[in-house]
């Protein structure tokens, strides 16, 4: 079987690289060459991706991994991972953090947050309306809403958002140098460590204070876990809000169906998550022993790149997967939030944010439309989380 390299060129702003679809049809697990001469695997089929994500014989530890494209900034062999950054841990270390964090994402806390999310969304829309058209939807709406929400949840002062938004973007930009990523990560960690120290002295009703009160983590570990939640909590949801708005504006029939039947928004959010899948470069795993997946033997130490966009467009799992259809029954089982022990902790929070924000945006601005030709909208092709860089709109 031909060894491939990871594709990045997209046929449209809303579709994954065409090669992923073709390779998924030919072989859902196939050999792939990695930068630096390493050889591993690319997994594109839904069943195979889900199987790898659920299999404890695959590791998430950063030191075992390789990026599928050249990225000087985040070299697994030299990057110093902050304490508490549990995304790149395996059990039992991962289990220790996951249990304590899951205890903070309670139904009570999320239910209490929903009215706050509604309030935040309306206030952001008020400001956007006062600013007048045209406006950049990313700067004025898609980024502020999830940033405000995650700040509220964690207990991070929103007034300090420029610092963490800048450092977060730097750390996730594929073009960043090793020094830039290290500096941005250290800045974020230092900020959250100082904040955790202040909360230890003066606790509040927020997630960071709850982690400290639990007593099972050091302040360094609380800061590292907080870093992960802060970055993931606003980058991914912001990307989905911007890209989802863009695709709905480009598909007026879909938007009209939601205006006619607002009860469809819950299912529409799931369809947008499935269809757009903003995870750009992974997740990544490394085999801890020889493992057979879809008839292919992945050897111990081999690195595997899992394509969530390809898996979420697999016709064996989703009917007519290339078509965006917000009227279809909610596509349960999609992998936009991952699967297995590393499934996104905040998936329910993200769903609430997206449902509230999309509906409020289109209710407030029924004539919302692009203020620039669609082909000129700049995309975040140089980030690990895909989306729109700017989205000029008018109303």
């Amino acid at each position: 079987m031909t060894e491939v390299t990871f594709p990045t060129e997209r046929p449209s702003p809303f579709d994954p690289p065409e090669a992923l679809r073709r390779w998924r049809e030919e072989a859902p697990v196939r050999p792939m060459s990695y930068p630096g001469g390493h050889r591993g695997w690319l997994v594109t089929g839904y069943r195979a991706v889900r199987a790898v994500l659920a299999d404890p014989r695959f590791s998430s530890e950063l030191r075992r991994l390789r990026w599928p494209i050249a990225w000087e900034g985040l070299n697994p062999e030299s990057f110093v991972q902050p304490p508490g950054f549990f995304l790149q841990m395996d059990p039992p270390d991962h289990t220790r953090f996951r249990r304590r964090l899951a205890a903070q994402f309670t139904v009570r806390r999320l239910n209490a947050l929903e009215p706050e999310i509604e309030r935040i969304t309306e206030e952001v829309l008020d400001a956007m309306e006062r600013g007048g058209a045209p406006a950049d939807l990313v700067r004025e709406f898609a980024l502020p809403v999830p940033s405000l929400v995650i700040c509220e949840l964690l207990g991070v002062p929103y007034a300090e958002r420029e610092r963490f938004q800048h450092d977060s973007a730097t750390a996730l930009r594929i073009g960043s140098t090793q020094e830039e990523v290290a500096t941005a990560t250290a800045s974020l960690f230092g900020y959250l460590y100082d904040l955790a120290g202040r909360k230890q002295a003066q606790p509040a009703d927020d997630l960071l204070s709850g982690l400290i009160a639990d007593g099972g983590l050091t302040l360094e570990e609380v800061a590292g876990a907080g870093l992960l939640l802060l970055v993931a909590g606003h980058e991914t949801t912001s990307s989905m809000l911007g890209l989802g708005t863009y695709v709905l504006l480009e598909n007026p029939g879909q938007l009209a169906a939601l205006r006619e039947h607002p009860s469809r928004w819950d299912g529409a959010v799931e369809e947008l998550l499935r269809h757009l899948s903003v995870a750009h470069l992974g997740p990544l795993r490394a085999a801890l022993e020889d493992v057979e997946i879809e008839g292919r033997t992945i050897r111990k130490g081999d690195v595997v790149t899992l394509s969530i966009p390809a898996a979420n467009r697999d016709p064996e799992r989703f009917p007519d997967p290339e078509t965006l259809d917000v009227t279809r029954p909610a596509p349960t089982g999609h992998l936009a939030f991952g699967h297995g022990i590393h499934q996104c902790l905040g998936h329910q929070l993200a769903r609430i944010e997206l449902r509230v924000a999309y509906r409020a945006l289109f209710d407030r601005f029924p004539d919302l439309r692009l203020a620039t030709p669609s082909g000129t909208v700049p995309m975040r092709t140089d980030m690990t989380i895909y989306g729109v860089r700017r989205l000029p709109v008018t109303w």
Side-chain angles (χ1 to χ4, degrees), residues 104 109 152-156 194-215 219 222:
Q104 300 297 321
R109 176 166 271 154
E152 180 75 16
L153 177 67
L154 293 178
V156 173
D194 289 343
L195 181 62
R198 298 199 300 269
K199 290 185 177 297
Q200 187 177 47
Q202 292 184 302
D205 184 19
D206 56 56
L207 192 147
L208 289 180
S209 296
L211 284 177
I212 294 166
D214 173 85
L219 277 188
V222 169

Side-chain angles (χ1 to χ4, degrees), residues 148-215:
L148 279 159
V149 171
I150 197 64
C151 284
E152 180 75 16
L153 177 67
L154 293 178
V156 173
Y158 183 65
E160 299 170 7
R161 65 192 178 279
E162 288 189 10
R163 175 177 177 178
F164 73 72
Q165 287 173 353
H166 174 270
D167 288 339
S168 172
T170 300
L172 296 178
R173 188 171 59 244
I174 298 167
S176 295
T177 66
Q178 187 171 329
E179 181 180 359
E180 287 171 334
V181 172
T183 300
T185 305
S187 174
L188 280 167
F189 179 78
Y191 169 69
L192 284 157
Y193 180 75
D194 289 343
L195 181 62
R198 298 199 300 269
K199 290 185 177 297
Q200 187 177 47
Q202 292 184 302
D205 184 19
D206 56 56
L207 192 147
L208 289 180
S209 296
L211 284 177
I212 294 166
D214 173 85

Side-chain angles (χ1 to χ4, degrees), residues 31-101:
M32 187 172 81
S33 61
Y34 288 68
H38 298 282
R39 285 174 169 75
W41 301 86
L42 173 64
V43 182
T44 50
Y46 176 90
R47 184 173 56 190
V49 169
R50 198 170 189 272
V52 172
L53 289 173
D55 196 324
R57 295 173 295 177
F58 287 94
S59 172
S60 297
E61 289 186 351
L62 185 62
R63 63 185 176 86
R64 302 178 187 273
L65 306 178
R66 294 287 182 277
W67 289 100
I69 65 173
W71 185 5
E72 175 199 343
L74 194 57
N75 184 342
E77 297 176 342
S78 59
F79 180 73
V80 179
Q81 186 169 297
F85 200 85
F86 62 96
L87 180 66
Q88 308 294 168
M89 294 181 184
D90 294 338
D93 292 331
H94 173 268
T95 308
R96 180 169 70 93
F97 285 93
R98 182 84 183 196
R99 285 176 178 167
R100 284 181 161 79
L101 283 156

Side-chain angles (χ1 to χ4, degrees), residues 222-238:
V222 169
L227 186 160
L228 174 59
L229 295 174
L230 181 62
V231 172
H234 81 273
E235 286 283 355
T236 52
T237 308
S238 171

Side-chain angles (χ1 to χ4, degrees), residues 244-259:
T245 300
Y246 184 15
V247 78
L248 288 172
L249 292 177
E250 289 289 86
N251 290 270
Q254 298 288 297
L255 187 53
L258 291 170
R259 293 191 190 282

